[in-house]
Amino acid sequence: MSKRPAIASLADDSPAAGGVAAVDRALNLLAAFGNDTPALSLSALAERTRLYKSTVLRLLASLEHAHLVVRRADGCYVLGSGVARLHAVYAQSSSSESLVMSVLHELVAATRESAAFHVRQGTQRLCLYRVDSPQPVRDHIRAGELLPLDRGAGGRVFQAHCHEGDEALGEQIRRQQVITLAGDREPQLAGIAAPVFGASGQLAGVITLTMPRERLEPVWAEIVKNAGRRLTEQLGGMLPVHTALSG
């Protein structure tokens, strides 16, 4: 009889119904990588996923074979080219790309700051599309990167519409349909974010405008809010009833 670990792995805490445990664990390994942890050692991966090192090694062998991770010369693991390929396929599969990119380009032209469109991915948000500010000093998030839900203007919008996090702030966001925050994700950055809704009024994504906090202009909040509403219309979405009545 195989010995069960004293502490359940992270994947075992919330297994996929009808899924495969080994796949859940492999996906948890991939989820361990992030903006602050682009490279992880075997020990770090085992600690973050609560798996035995021997199990992690077997899973990494399969992930390496699929080019989803790569082992560097120093022994640490990083995400591989397979992740970039999957992201490219994901982005191309969306017929909304041209509409979203058009709105983002308009925001950058109007403000000279960086604009992005995020979608929720589990407990994080994925930067799906991004247009950089033409100015040399800017944040350097790239399309395909994952960001937290509990920090930054974009994350706060996701939390608000899922009734997570600070409820008072969430109510303000749901009522005003835009939020401006400085230093919430990074001390030197500011951000403005507005929701984009789907056909039944559910949150489909979030538009964000980010800049160094000293360049923040309060008047841009209305520009970002209008961009969110315009993209909602172009994608065939509709505002939630309480928003339509109060907006």
Side-chain angles (χ1 to χ4, degrees):
M1 181 181 295
S2 61
K3 181 181 177 182
R4 294 179 61 85
I7 301 176
S9 73
L10 195 61
D12 293 335
D13 282 348
S14 55
V20 179
V23 176
D24 286 340
R25 293 169 182 173
L27 293 175
N28 265 266
L29 281 176
L30 293 177
F33 295 94
N35 293 330
D36 298 329
T37 53
L40 291 167
S41 66
L42 174 62
S43 295
L45 285 165
E47 180 180 352
R48 284 170 174 265
T49 57
R50 303 202 302 262
L51 291 167
Y52 291 127
K53 289 182 182 179
S54 57
T55 301
V56 173
L57 277 173
R58 291 195 298 272
L59 294 171
L60 286 171
S62 293
L63 293 173
E64 281 189 276
H65 182 70
H67 306 292
L68 295 175
V69 298
V70 175
R71 187 175 185 270
R72 300 191 317 196
D74 63 1
C76 287
Y77 291 86
V78 296
L79 294 178
S81 59
V83 175
R85 184 188 66 80
L86 290 173
H87 172 259
V89 173
Y90 176 56
Q92 290 173 7
S93 69
S94 173
S95 61
S96 63
E97 179 178 3
S98 62
L99 294 175
V100 175
M101 289 298 290
S102 177
V103 170
L104 297 184
H105 279 293
E106 289 174 8
L107 273 176
V108 174
T111 65
R112 290 177 55 79
E113 302 297 350
S114 299
F117 181 76
H118 297 249
V119 294
R120 182 159 185 166
Q121 191 167 82
T123 58
Q124 296 176 293
R125 53 188 167 113
L126 171 70
C127 179
L128 186 57
Y129 304 113
R130 159 97 180 191
V131 178
D132 284 333
S133 163
Q135 304 184 75
V137 178
R138 60 177 187 263
D139 70 310
H140 292 280
I141 298 299
R142 296 292 179 224
E145 291 191 33
L146 290 168
L147 296 171
L149 289 181
D150 61 349
R151 297 191 302 279
R156 303 294 186 181
V157 173
F158 280 109
Q159 283 193 319
H161 288 276
C162 294
H163 294 273
E164 301 171 2
D166 186 315
E167 183 54 33
L169 180 61
E171 174 57 31
Q172 175 189 335
I173 293 171
R174 290 190 296 272
R175 183 177 68 253
Q176 298 179 352
Q177 295 305 314
V178 69
I179 185 66
T180 301
L181 294 171
D184 193 52
R185 179 170 62 85
E186 297 288 348
Q188 69 275 24
L189 294 178
I192 306 170
V196 175
F197 298 102
S200 59
Q202 82 280 7
L203 186 67
V206 175
I207 282 183
T208 65
L209 189 72
T210 54
M211 70 292 295
R213 60 188 302 167
E214 64 270 15
R215 294 208 306 251
L216 174 63
E217 295 288 347
V219 295
W220 289 341
E222 194 66 19
I223 295 176
V224 175
K225 177 180 178 178
N226 289 337
R229 290 193 165 194
R230 187 166 67 256
L231 186 55
T232 293
E233 294 174 357
Q234 292 175 350
L235 295 176
M238 61 183 296
L239 299 175
V241 174
H242 70 276
T243 303
L245 292 177
S246 62

